[in-house]
Amino acid sequence: MLNFKILTTSGNARSGIIKLNNFFVKTPIFMPVGTYGSVKAISPLELIEMKYNIILNNSFHLWMRPGLDVISKFGGLHKFINWNRLILTDSGGFQVFSLSKRNKITEKGIYFFSPINGDKLFLSPEISMKIQKILNSDIVMQLDECTPYKIYNRILSENEVENSMKMSLRWAQRSKEEFYKINNKNSLFCIVQGGMFKNLRDESLEKLKEIGFDGFAIGGLSVGEPKKKMIKILQYIGPKLPIDKPHYLMGAGTPEDIIMAVSNGIDMFDCIIPTRNARNGLLFTNFGNIKIKNARYKFDKNPLDYSCNCYTCKNFSRSYLHYLHRKGEILGSRLNTIHNLYYYFQLMRKIRLSINNNIFEKFVKDFCE
């Protein structure tokens, strides 16, 4: 069972610790994304050496391939991917909704065609819970309808968003009932929806609190809305989440977004940005971003970041990383990924320290400068 304790606060920012299945995770925390059961271009051992204790896997894609029949033979994801720390899996709903031209949403669930072979498939709250039970996820996400900001370049009306949010509430209730019916001993998080409408966010949150969950996530942000609208909603609903539960912002993950979200009470993050950007040659440093493909780095003997102690920065020059990227060498993607994920872990560590020392506002100011 998940145990969450807040250690220190600085304004709305919280430093805490999650204890779950014999592991401890200090929050705020970033979770590397391993969509298909692996974090791209990096090994589990390297993640452990960086001190990551939790990753995110995608239940939809693992359901499609390799399939539940394979994963069940290993007793779950942990042994299949050789990761003996914590795993959070999303419900699969977002991936199905992204197949908007290939799905049909009903009260029962979602009918859709497999993107792999075209088979007719069905996903419901009950099936999502059964999938995640087989995966043996430490943290399970409810099935929700991820409300988009736009459909075919048309912004959704309040009535459309309300209908979507209420569907998610009914599915949240069914997710919880099935979670306990199948005797899952892990933890279940809900997802607050409501689009850009504060009243709908309030209604979603209040009903989810009545149902009761181990953690509260905010969904339906970073789905195409203007950044100002995202910030406005996060500033409104983040501080309202239950104080004694972990708060998780789904899918938003630039360093700037993370710091802004932490200042509004968020504890957990996931995003493909650090790993995808690494493979595309965009690297985060304590002195600004570096596009390593740029010609200016061809003869640069400096490390990416003098203040960084990752394997990449301690052993290789910008010139060599530039060469690897321009040649398309696999090693370039690996070294870049090692650096970006190390940067993210250290960013979260610095955030926690600043909250613990009650200097978070100063940290934010220094970071922005």
Side-chain angles (χ1 to χ4, degrees):
M1 195 66 179
L2 183 146
N3 181 271
F4 176 63
K5 182 179 180 181
I6 298 173
L7 303 176
T8 321
T9 61
S10 182
N12 288 321
R14 298 137 48 99
S15 172
I17 189 164
I18 293 172
K19 181 181 179 183
L20 179 61
N21 295 341
N22 298 317
F23 279 98
F24 292 88
V25 175
K26 295 178 181 179
T27 60
I29 190 65
F30 178 81
M31 300 177 288
V33 175
T35 300
Y36 299 94
S38 68
V39 180
K40 289 185 184 297
I42 195 167
S43 72
L45 176 60
E46 288 164 324
L47 290 171
I48 290 170
E49 289 173 342
M50 292 182 199
K51 303 190 185 310
Y52 278 105
N53 274 346
I54 183 169
I55 61 173
L56 180 144
N57 287 163
N58 186 284
S59 60
F60 174 82
H61 289 293
L62 292 166
W63 176 32
M64 296 292 102
R65 288 184 297 195
L68 301 181
D69 54 341
V70 174
I71 295 172
S72 63
K73 295 291 185 182
F74 291 81
L77 274 175
H78 295 81
K79 289 186 178 180
F80 181 63
I81 68 175
N82 194 28
W83 175 257
N84 63 358
R85 284 157 170 73
L86 300 178
I87 297 174
L88 180 149
T89 52
D90 56 18
S91 66
F94 180 82
Q95 285 68 38
V96 174
F97 296 127
S98 69
L99 303 170
S100 58
K101 295 181 180 179
R102 299 170 62 87
N103 69 39
K104 179 182 179 182
I105 301 171
T106 70
E107 187 68 34
K108 290 183 178 180
I110 315 148
Y111 296 87
F112 65 102
F113 293 98
S114 167
I116 307 300
N117 56 20
D119 285 352
K120 291 183 179 180
L121 297 172
F122 176 68
L123 182 66
S124 67
E126 293 77 15
I127 292 173
S128 178
M129 293 302 102
K130 289 183 173 73
I131 291 170
Q132 293 180 82
K133 173 78 181 292
I134 293 172
L135 298 179
N136 193 26
S137 321
D138 299 282
I139 297 177
V140 171
M141 300 303 299
Q142 71 150 107
L143 182 67
D144 68 321
E145 182 179 356
C146 183
T147 310
Y149 179 65
K150 291 182 178 180
I151 295 181
Y152 306 122
N153 293 318
R154 179 182 62 82
I155 297 175
L156 268 66
S157 68
E158 182 173 353
N159 185 59
E160 289 173 308
V161 175
E162 181 179 13
N163 290 336
S164 174
M165 179 272 291
K166 288 184 175 179
M167 176 82 82
S168 289
L169 285 176
R170 294 190 293 272
W171 286 1
Q173 180 69 56
R174 287 167 56 189
S175 292
K176 182 174 180 180
E177 290 172 0
E178 183 67 17
F179 182 84
Y180 286 105
K181 180 180 177 181
I182 61 179
N183 197 31
N184 194 327
K185 301 297 184 182
N186 290 310
S187 296
L188 179 64
F189 280 31
C190 63
I191 304 173
V192 179
Q193 291 288 354
M196 303 298 113
F197 300 95
K198 293 179 180 179
N199 59 311
L200 298 183
R201 290 283 178 176
D202 281 335
E203 182 178 350
S204 176
L205 175 57
E206 290 308 310
K207 294 291 176 60
L208 291 170
K209 285 162 65 176
E210 291 175 10
I211 298 170
F213 290 88
D214 299 309
F216 284 70
I218 298 176
L221 295 180
S222 294
V223 290
E225 76 279 3
K227 180 62 71 72
K228 287 184 178 179
K229 287 184 178 289
M230 183 194 90
I231 293 173
K232 187 176 181 180
I233 290 297
L234 193 54
Q235 289 175 334
Y236 179 78
I237 201 67
K240 290 188 170 187
L241 299 177
I243 193 170
D244 60 337
K245 304 290 185 181
H247 305 163
Y248 167 29
L249 177 60
M250 305 182 74
T254 67
E256 294 80 5
D257 286 345
I258 287 174
I259 290 171
M260 179 273 297
V262 168
S263 69
N264 288 285
I266 303 301
D267 309 301
M268 302 169 66
F269 302 87
D270 80 279
C271 193
I272 62 172
I273 282 176
T275 48
R276 183 184 62 188
N277 283 8
R279 298 192 304 277
N280 291 330
L282 179 59
L283 303 167
F284 298 96
T285 79
N286 291 300
F287 310 101
N289 297 344
I290 287 179
K291 295 181 179 178
I292 201 64
K293 67 180 179 181
N294 288 355
R296 62 186 291 189
Y297 300 116
K298 184 174 183 178
F299 301 102
D300 193 336
K301 293 182 178 180
N302 294 304
L304 275 174
D305 187 339
Y306 278 112
S307 66
C308 180
N309 288 316
C310 78
Y311 173 75
T312 302
C313 288
K314 289 195 296 184
N315 290 280
F316 302 100
S317 68
R318 295 175 178 180
S319 175
Y320 184 57
L321 296 173
H322 168 83
Y323 161 74
L324 292 175
H325 184 76
R326 294 301 290 263
K327 289 288 291 180
E329 291 288 341
I330 294 172
L331 179 60
S333 292
R334 282 189 35 75
L335 293 177
N336 292 349
T337 301
I338 287 170
H339 169 78
N340 272 2
L341 286 178
Y342 185 91
Y343 170 88
Y344 264 64
F345 189 89
Q346 295 304 314
L347 172 65
M348 305 313 295
R349 184 184 67 83
K350 292 172 185 176
I351 289 173
R352 292 193 298 269
L353 286 173
S354 72
I355 297 171
N356 292 339
N357 294 321
N358 200 27
I359 56 169
F360 179 67
E361 286 188 12
K362 181 180 183 303
F363 172 83
V364 174
K365 181 181 178 181
D366 291 344
F367 179 89
C368 292
E369 289 177 351

